[in-house]
Amino acid sequence: MKIYIDNKAVKRNSLIGKILRWTSLGCMLIGLIAVFSQEIAENPGLFTIFFIIMLVGVLLSSISSYFTTRFGKSPRPDELIDKSFKGFDDRFHVFHYKSSTPHLLVCPAGVWSITPTFVDGEIIYNEKKENWEHKKKSLLNRFLSKEYFPNPVSELKSSQKEFKKFLTSNQITQDVEIKSLIILMNKNISKIENNETEKILILPMDKVKDKFRKLLKQNVDLVNIQDSLIEILSTS
């Protein structure tokens, strides 16, 4: 398997996460001190200003958590994706942050947009909406969790739209179908309903290899454009 990653983007976003984390802590500390200050408590105008500063700190903390989880802490999502496909031959090409699709797989089994998520609980299929919903394990998890389950149908539509733009901008005229793979990184997923459709796969991390070994046995004609895609993405 060949892995391509924009390390500059990873380092840049990791730094952004660190800056936002310390900035958020500073804002919340200033706001907290101000809230308990008698002088400010007696001045409604100042109280409002410092309370807003504290709220900004909370917002920045949430944003910094997003960057830190994806670009700061190891193993990062891209590292876990690589682990999921470890052992496949050089026909598998994984691209991280090299295009508008953060994680892209090009292989004999097709072109796949990969979305990692760390949610726990249950993934339930809603037949009326023809989409999946996430049911968390407990009320505490619902309140504390900062990780959200991606909307599989919306993820697929977005990936298809962005990939079509990519093909057009690089003068690739062939119609290439992109599919969506959602990898569940959390081992505490207790249930997944209807996890496979024609264009969407929702798989636990430890089931990815087995599924793609089976897909390799199916005929997918990408020979004419695969080399072009790989060349463009690897040099971007």
Side-chain angles (χ1 to χ4, degrees), residues 3-7 10 77-79 81-82 94-99 101-104 114:
I3 301 167
Y4 308 83
I5 183 168
D6 187 343
N7 285 307
V10 173
D78 61 274
E79 294 172 331
I81 290 172
D82 296 341
V94 182
F95 300 89
H96 301 295
Y97 315 116
K98 301 286 282 184
S99 68
T101 302
H103 309 285
L104 189 70
I114 304 174

Side-chain angles (χ1 to χ4, degrees), residues 3-236:
I3 301 167
Y4 308 83
I5 183 168
D6 187 343
N7 285 307
K8 289 183 179 179
V10 173
K11 291 179 181 178
R12 180 179 64 249
N13 289 327
S14 176
L15 179 60
I16 290 173
K18 291 177 182 178
I19 293 172
L20 289 176
R21 183 174 72 246
W22 288 108
T23 303
S24 68
L25 288 174
C27 288
M28 287 189 285
L29 181 60
I30 292 171
L32 188 62
I33 293 173
V35 166
F36 291 99
S37 169
Q38 184 176 354
E39 181 180 347
I40 293 175
E42 293 173 353
N43 188 323
L46 285 176
F47 179 85
T48 301
I49 291 172
F50 282 99
F51 185 72
I52 291 174
I53 291 174
M54 188 167 65
L55 290 179
V56 169
V58 173
L59 176 62
L60 290 178
S61 176
S62 178
I63 298 173
S64 72
S65 176
Y66 171 88
F67 280 96
T68 301
T69 300
R70 285 159 178 77
F71 303 100
K73 296 179 180 179
S74 187
R76 303 186 307 264
D78 61 274
E79 294 172 331
L80 292 173
I81 290 172
D82 296 341
K83 185 178 179 181
S84 298
F85 289 94
K86 186 177 180 180
F88 282 109
D89 58 34
D90 286 349
R91 294 177 299 166
F92 278 72
H93 300 259
V94 182
F95 300 89
H96 301 295
Y97 315 116
K98 301 286 282 184
S99 68
S100 56
T101 302
H103 309 285
L104 189 70
L105 169 67
V106 180
C107 69
V111 179
W112 296 81
S113 169
I114 304 174
T115 305
T117 179
F118 294 88
V119 298
D120 63 0
E122 300 179 353
I123 308 300
I124 308 298
Y125 186 72
N126 188 320
E127 293 186 1
K128 291 182 179 179
K129 296 181 179 179
E130 296 184 340
N131 206 347
W132 291 261
E133 298 174 350
H134 175 220
K135 184 178 180 182
K136 296 181 181 179
K137 271 190 157 185
S138 65
L139 289 174
L140 182 62
N141 280 351
R142 293 177 190 180
F143 179 75
L144 295 177
S145 178
K146 295 181 180 179
E147 184 75 22
Y148 296 95
F149 181 68
N151 183 315
V153 174
S154 294
E155 285 286 326
L156 177 61
K157 289 180 180 178
S158 176
S159 297
Q160 290 173 332
K161 182 179 179 180
E162 292 298 325
F163 192 65
K164 188 174 182 179
K165 288 181 181 178
F166 168 80
L167 294 176
T168 302
S169 64
N170 287 281
Q171 300 180 341
I172 297 177
T173 57
Q174 293 95 327
D175 186 20
V176 185
E177 181 181 55
I178 187 171
K179 300 180 181 181
S180 179
L181 168 63
I182 295 176
I183 302 181
L184 306 171
M185 302 295 189
N186 196 324
K187 294 181 180 179
N188 293 323
I189 286 287
S190 56
K191 182 180 180 181
I192 312 171
E193 287 185 354
N194 193 25
N195 69 315
E196 179 178 348
T197 66
E198 184 181 351
K199 297 181 181 180
I200 296 174
L201 284 178
I202 305 174
L203 298 172
M205 182 178 167
D206 59 355
K207 301 293 184 183
V208 172
K209 279 186 186 179
D210 290 341
K211 180 59 186 177
F212 273 79
R213 286 193 183 102
K214 293 177 181 177
L215 289 176
L216 284 176
K217 297 177 181 179
Q218 302 176 9
N219 294 322
V220 179
D221 185 14
L222 286 173
V223 178
N224 294 330
I225 63 158
Q226 194 173 45
D227 290 342
S228 299
L229 278 175
I230 293 167
E231 182 179 358
I232 292 168
L233 286 164
S234 60
T235 56
S236 63

